[in-house]
Amino acid sequence: RKEVEQDPGPFNVPEGATVAFNCTYSNSASQSFFWYRQDCRKEPKLLMSVYSSGNEDGRFTAQLNRASQYISLLIRDSKLSDSATYLCVVQFSGSARQLTFGSGTQLTVLP
Amino acid sequence: DAGITQSPRHKVTETGTPVTLRCHQTENHRYMYWYRQDPGHGLRLIHYSYGVKDTDKGEVSDGYSVSRSKTEDFLLTLESATSSQTSVYFCAISESEGTDTQYFGPGTRLTVL
């Protein structure tokens, strides 16, 4: 079983739609959680950190459920520019700042 | 954008040849990392460095070595390249204290024939 699992998609949604991505992680002793975004043939870039209380950045909302070992990302009012692969990332405790990446969920926003 | 460059950006080589990839940063960050990215696997950590001459292995370190003689440079060497090492290689950096955010370089696309 992978340590960080994501639905690979692809998710094809129309502009303006709301889309949600889920991610589960296997190690309960996890410390930090992130969503990264990766455009085609580009490097990953931090989208947002995920906090236990949940956090929002404009159209993006991230949630963390430690009891269920589950992370989510919600994108409201999708834009064409949101088309990318979204990577769920977990830092496990005691791992010297090592991050474990999910395989990513591919999103295409259609006009 | 964080000041991270990787060289070369693209390389085609033959099985059995040595290959060195370079990561250069201008941010004076303490931590540097090498990842490989393959379809279906996501990014996997090869080696990382927590200071000059301080390095450690990651998840997929077999067949790779690293060196860090200066804060700004982190080299990844494939001593004898194999076709299974065909991949996209990303370097990343993170600050020394108080944050776990990693910033990635543009990547090197390596093909081993």
Side-chain angles (χ1 to χ4, degrees):
Chain A
R1 181 186 173 194
K2 292 182 180 178
E3 291 184 288
V4 180
E5 295 208 53
Q6 298 181 246
D7 181 345
F11 285 66
N12 298 317
V13 302
E15 238 180 324
T18 295
V19 60
F21 304 138
N22 302 317
C23 169
T24 58
Y25 58 95
S26 61
N27 189 337
S28 59
S30 298
Q31 186 171 350
S32 304
F33 308 88
F34 310 90
W35 284 102
Y36 275 72
R37 171 196 167 125
Q38 186 173 25
D39 294 307
C40 187
R41 302 178 79 86
K42 298 286 190 180
E43 72 272 22
K45 292 186 178 181
L46 179 67
L47 178 66
M48 57 197 304
S49 300
V50 186
Y51 305 117
S52 295
S53 56
N55 48 301
E56 187 173 310
D57 182 3
R59 298 180 292 107
F60 298 84
T61 300
Q63 296 281 350
L64 168 63
N65 185 322
R66 285 189 182 269
S68 301
Q69 296 179 205
Y70 170 96
I71 307 161
S72 65
L73 177 68
L74 182 76
I75 305 175
R76 293 182 299 278
D77 189 23
S78 300
K79 311 292 185 190
L80 297 177
S81 58
D82 293 334
S83 296
T85 297
Y86 291 83
L87 307 174
C88 175
V89 184
V90 177
Q91 184 201 28
F92 296 114
S93 297
S95 59
R97 299 177 183 273
Q98 294 181 41
L99 301 180
T100 300
F101 287 76
S103 300
T105 298
Q106 185 180 342
L107 171 67
T108 301
V109 181
L110 304 169
Chain B
D1 289 348
I4 312 169
T5 57
Q6 292 184 232
S7 58
R9 294 293 313 281
H10 302 270
K11 186 171 183 67
V12 180
T13 191
E14 294 187 348
T15 298
T17 60
V19 176
T20 295
L21 309 183
R22 180 183 184 235
C23 177
H24 179 78
Q25 59 144 330
T26 57
E27 306 295 326
N28 201 36
H29 285 2
R30 178 180 173 188
Y31 294 85
M32 299 186 75
Y33 311 82
W34 276 107
Y35 292 89
R36 60 178 289 174
Q37 186 173 34
D38 305 289
H41 287 280
L43 282 96
R44 292 180 290 173
L45 183 66
I46 305 171
H47 282 279
Y48 66 99
S49 170
Y50 45 96
V52 173
K53 298 187 179 179
D54 291 324
T55 65
D56 207 346
K57 296 178 179 180
E59 177 189 355
V60 290
S61 60
D62 288 348
Y64 302 95
S65 63
V66 290
S67 65
R68 191 166 177 203
S69 59
K70 297 184 291 184
T71 299
E72 57 266 35
D73 289 326
F74 193 32
L75 304 181
L76 176 71
T77 298
L78 292 65
E79 300 291 348
S80 178
T82 67
S83 58
S84 64
Q85 293 175 312
T86 293
S87 187
V88 180
Y89 291 86
F90 287 102
C91 173
I93 64 174
S94 63
E95 293 182 61
S96 58
E97 296 291 338
T99 177
D100 296 303
T101 303
Q102 291 188 13
Y103 301 93
F104 285 81
T108 294
R109 193 167 295 271
L110 177 67
T111 301
V112 183
L113 302 175

